[in-house]
Amino acid sequence: MTRDETGWDLEVRPEKMRRWVVVAAVVVMAIHIFAALVLRGGGDTGVHLRVVDQIAILAIGVVLTGGVLLFTRPRLRAGADGVSVRNVVAERHIPWTDVRGLFFDQGAPWARLELPFDEYVPVVAIQARDGERAVDALERFRELESRYTGGAVSDNDDGGAVRRHDDGGAVRRNDDGGAVRGDDDGGAVRGDD
């Protein structure tokens, strides 16, 4: 989709997962329809199913199918206002100032959006099983990231709140207040005994 159609420069949805989810939803609904039609009361089983029970089986099928179809919702959008990540249920909008990159961890099924302070948001919309399509989405995202952040985003940037090895002087390397020095253990352990 183009920016004119959606208002976003990039919109990505998982391809293969959506197909499998639709197939699974059809199967779940078909099983419930079949069960509602086949299961009837009578016979020597002692079970007495009425029309209300058949309708209930269909209703359960509709609810379960709806739950399965929630997995078609994942989407990633990126534009001038920032990045919007929608996974199965919730959607989260993140401004470009908080974005530290989009990465795949080793062996991960989907990408993750890195945020300050070692936080991240899983991006189910970009899945490793989509192959070249996922690679293309990552490249397009990184182009937009570069454009909208001006290349100011670094992998380990925490917004300036934490500086490497700066603890305000509270802790100094090897300073334990004189309690332990070198190999001095206060005589508790002797290597020559």
Side-chain angles (χ1 to χ4, degrees):
M1 293 185 183
T2 64
R3 180 166 176 65
D4 296 334
E5 295 172 6
T6 64
W8 296 91
D9 294 324
L10 173 66
E11 185 168 338
V12 180
R13 294 175 182 261
E15 194 68 30
K16 290 181 181 178
M17 184 176 88
R18 287 173 58 96
R19 280 188 244 144
W20 282 107
V21 165
V22 169
V23 168
V26 168
V27 168
V28 166
M29 196 63 219
I31 289 171
H32 283 82
I33 290 171
F34 178 77
L37 294 175
V38 172
L39 295 176
R40 295 188 182 191
D44 54 351
T45 64
V47 176
H48 299 289
L49 294 177
R50 300 182 197 123
V51 174
V52 174
D53 299 317
Q54 291 173 312
I55 292 171
I57 291 171
L58 286 175
I60 291 171
V62 168
V63 170
L64 291 177
T65 299
V68 169
L69 287 174
L70 283 175
F71 289 92
T72 63
R73 290 181 41 100
R75 176 183 68 200
L76 169 77
R77 290 177 166 179
D81 293 335
V83 180
S84 179
V85 177
R86 181 174 71 188
N87 288 324
V88 176
V89 178
E91 185 164 3
R92 184 170 175 187
H93 181 78
I94 300 140
W96 283 113
T97 55
D98 290 342
V99 174
R100 301 292 174 255
L102 183 66
F103 305 97
F104 268 102
D105 278 340
Q106 182 69 28
W110 47 71
R112 63 189 242 176
L113 188 65
E114 298 287 335
L115 303 175
F117 306 109
D118 294 328
E119 291 184 55
Y120 68 90
V121 175
V123 181
V124 180
I126 302 178
Q127 298 198 356
R129 69 180 72 158
D130 285 336
E132 195 61 37
R133 192 169 185 279
V135 172
D136 182 50
L138 280 174
E139 289 174 356
R140 290 188 304 166
F141 180 87
R142 288 178 180 154
E143 288 171 7
L144 292 173
E145 180 183 23
S146 180
R147 180 190 323 161
Y148 290 122
T149 62
V153 175
S154 68
D155 292 343
N156 294 323
D157 192 310
D158 57 8
V162 177
R163 292 184 189 94
R164 190 172 307 277
H165 304 299
D166 182 12
D167 55 10
V171 177
R172 291 196 173 98
R173 190 172 304 272
N174 296 330
D175 186 359
D176 56 7
V180 178
R181 297 198 192 281
D183 291 333
D184 186 307
D185 57 8
V189 178
R190 300 252 187 251
D192 54 2
D193 285 21

